[in-house]
Amino acid sequence: MNDINHLLDDVERNQNNHQRFYLGISQIGNPNQRLLWMRWRWLMPDDMEPRVLRLLDLGNVVEDHLIAKLRQIPNAGIFDVDERGRQFETKALGGHVKGHIDGVARNLPGLDKKYPYLLEFKTANDNRFKNLKDLGSYCEWSEEYAAQVHLYMGLFNFKHCIVIVYNKNNSDLYTEIIEFDKIAFDSLMEKAKNILLAEAPPDNYIPETDYRIKSFMSPAQQSAYLGRTLPENIHCRSCRFAKVDLEKSNGAWYCNKHEKHIPEKRQTMGCKNHNYIPELIDAHVMEVDDDKVLYQKGDVQFYNVEENSNCRGKNYYSSKELIEVFNTGDPIGFIKAIDGIKNKFDGTVKKVEKQ
């Protein structure tokens, strides 16, 4: 039986193994701006447990179920896809912000027939559901969920939203009509823009012993979030030469080094000229020039340089090499131990996979 469980876990991992190129509207309400920025920049390991992925899938199943039930209400108009059979989508801020709504309702009994209503569905366990019913306010219940509905209403030009929350324990329902809040919408759009344009990670104001880190992040995510390790691979979004372009509409990025826009596939790979955003390196920045950055950590100085033979020297490391240096957990000791050998043999630091 465990073999079947493992196979099903593999199915979940494979289905969710794709790169998101935009900042999702459902994320923007998260008060942790450092976490938002790091996810947007592909700096957080995507190692969500298969169990959690199944829970997210369950939310989609419940959504389809509620859509089908709403369609059975006499005279109701319920729409969940466009004429191409795709979810209704909206984009903003040069295509870097994107989201998909659950549906649209018209002509529901007791509601103003002049206006369409945004539909938003959520699931909750029994404790969370009881908390919502006690509060009697969806927006007070969840800051992130409140942000999501106001962003969708503003971007789709809805005046009202119907939220339906499904109790996963006993199938009870909570329903509320929410009015659009223009002030909240403007504030959230400004927050999203600031996240997109920030060239360095926002500071962390959460102690590492806090439950939001200890309970909701895997060990690998904790280490990345706290700036102790680097992602396993380089990519353009961790490079100081890559800049967000909000003027175009297709989620464009521009490389100041190569003076051209960066295709999506290239973004995921980086290039030999990759140079880390200095604030991602857990060391003090001493000097920055066009091709390299000098750092000091403890009593050791080292350079982040481009990946080619013209940039060899004492304590010169490409971004790929710095990944291996910092992910040892002891970068100072590692540099002291290997730099002489590296220079003597004109070598490169690489990770050796165990056989």
Side-chain angles (χ1 to χ4, degrees):
M1 296 301 290
N2 284 336
D3 288 342
I4 295 175
N5 288 351
H6 293 321
L7 291 169
L8 289 171
D9 286 350
D10 289 341
V11 169
E12 292 294 342
R13 293 189 185 96
N14 292 334
Q15 283 183 341
N16 288 274
N17 188 23
H18 64 276
Q19 188 69 67
R20 176 179 280 190
F21 286 86
Y22 58 88
L23 178 63
I25 286 174
S26 62
Q27 299 176 293
I28 294 170
N30 190 320
N32 188 337
Q33 297 199 34
R34 179 181 177 86
L35 182 60
L36 273 177
W37 187 89
M38 293 190 71
R39 284 175 173 165
W40 152 245
R41 290 278 186 154
W42 305 339
L43 298 168
M44 291 292 287
D46 187 13
D47 57 355
M48 197 176 292
E49 294 179 52
R51 174 188 63 82
V52 177
L53 295 172
R54 282 191 287 271
L55 281 173
L56 296 175
D57 280 344
L58 179 62
N60 295 328
V61 172
V62 169
E63 177 186 321
D64 291 342
H65 169 76
L66 291 172
I67 286 284
K69 295 297 183 182
L70 285 169
R71 286 197 171 116
Q72 296 179 36
I73 297 174
N75 301 317
I78 307 298
F79 312 94
D80 62 333
V81 293
D82 61 20
E83 64 276 5
R84 299 171 297 173
R86 300 176 183 174
Q87 271 191 300
F88 297 108
E89 179 182 275
T90 185
K91 298 179 183 179
L93 298 175
H96 291 284
V97 167
K98 188 187 296 186
H100 305 84
I101 60 174
D102 293 340
V104 180
R106 280 186 176 273
N107 301 323
L108 285 174
L111 300 182
D112 193 331
K113 290 182 169 48
K114 291 186 299 184
Y115 301 108
Y117 286 71
L118 172 68
L119 286 173
E120 180 66 23
F121 304 108
K122 294 295 182 204
T123 62
N125 63 33
D126 197 47
N127 287 334
R128 285 274 290 155
F129 189 86
K130 287 176 180 176
N131 177 241
L132 170 59
K133 292 190 77 172
D134 289 342
L135 286 171
S137 170
Y138 184 82
C139 292
E140 289 183 26
W141 183 58
S142 170
E143 183 179 350
E144 290 183 62
Y145 293 170
Q148 186 177 0
V149 296
H150 287 299
L151 283 165
Y152 279 139
M153 282 192 279
L155 292 170
F156 277 97
N157 199 28
F158 288 112
K159 296 182 180 296
H160 315 278
C161 175
I162 303 169
V163 295
I164 302 177
V165 182
Y166 181 96
N167 187 321
K168 291 183 287 189
N169 292 70
N170 60 19
S171 296
D172 196 5
L173 299 175
Y174 173 92
T175 303
E176 183 181 340
I177 309 296
I178 298 173
E179 305 290 323
F180 175 55
D181 185 333
K182 179 68 162 55
I183 294 175
F185 170 77
D186 289 341
S187 175
L188 288 163
M189 289 298 292
E190 187 65 24
K191 175 185 177 181
K193 184 176 181 180
N194 290 339
I195 293 293
L196 298 180
L197 294 179
E199 296 188 357
D203 291 334
N204 174 43
Y205 296 105
I206 303 175
E208 63 180 281
T209 54
D210 189 280
Y211 75 95
R212 287 166 289 185
I213 293 179
K214 300 295 288 185
S215 300
F216 293 101
M217 296 183 192
S218 68
Q221 289 173 337
Q222 292 176 37
S223 186
Y225 175 81
L226 295 169
R228 293 171 181 160
T229 56
L230 294 168
E232 292 185 357
N233 299 293
I234 63 167
H235 50 71
C236 291
R237 295 199 183 188
S238 61
C239 179
R240 67 186 177 104
F241 300 127
K243 307 297 178 185
V244 174
D245 184 349
L246 297 185
E247 299 304 315
K248 294 185 176 292
S249 61
N250 60 344
W253 285 73
Y254 187 82
C255 178
N256 285 340
K257 182 73 172 178
H258 296 288
E259 298 183 338
K260 62 181 181 181
H261 283 93
I262 314 170
E264 284 190 350
K265 185 176 181 180
R266 169 55 67 184
Q267 287 179 39
T268 66
M269 301 163 56
C271 73
K272 68 179 184 179
N273 301 114
H274 184 283
N275 219 223
Y276 269 111
I277 296 168
E279 289 81 2
L280 295 179
I281 302 299
D282 185 19
H284 180 66
V285 178
M286 303 294 293
E287 183 181 312
V288 179
D289 67 23
D290 291 343
D291 299 312
K292 60 184 180 294
V293 181
L294 173 63
Y295 296 92
Q296 177 147 359
K297 188 170 180 66
D299 59 349
V300 170
Q301 289 191 348
F302 61 92
Y303 289 90
N304 182 193
V305 299
E306 62 185 24
E307 185 185 348
N308 66 43
S309 58
N310 295 325
C311 283
R312 300 280 186 193
K314 181 175 174 56
N315 292 0
Y316 273 38
Y317 294 88
S318 70
S319 292
K320 288 181 180 179
E321 291 178 304
L322 284 182
I323 293 171
E324 308 309 328
V325 169
F326 273 84
N327 291 359
T328 63
D330 180 19
I332 296 176
F334 190 81
I335 289 174
K336 287 180 177 180
I338 61 95
D339 195 68
I341 299 172
K342 179 176 181 290
N343 284 304
K344 181 176 180 179
F345 294 99
D346 195 23
T348 301
V349 178
K350 290 185 177 180
K351 184 177 181 178
V352 178
E353 300 291 344
K354 293 181 180 180
Q355 299 296 322

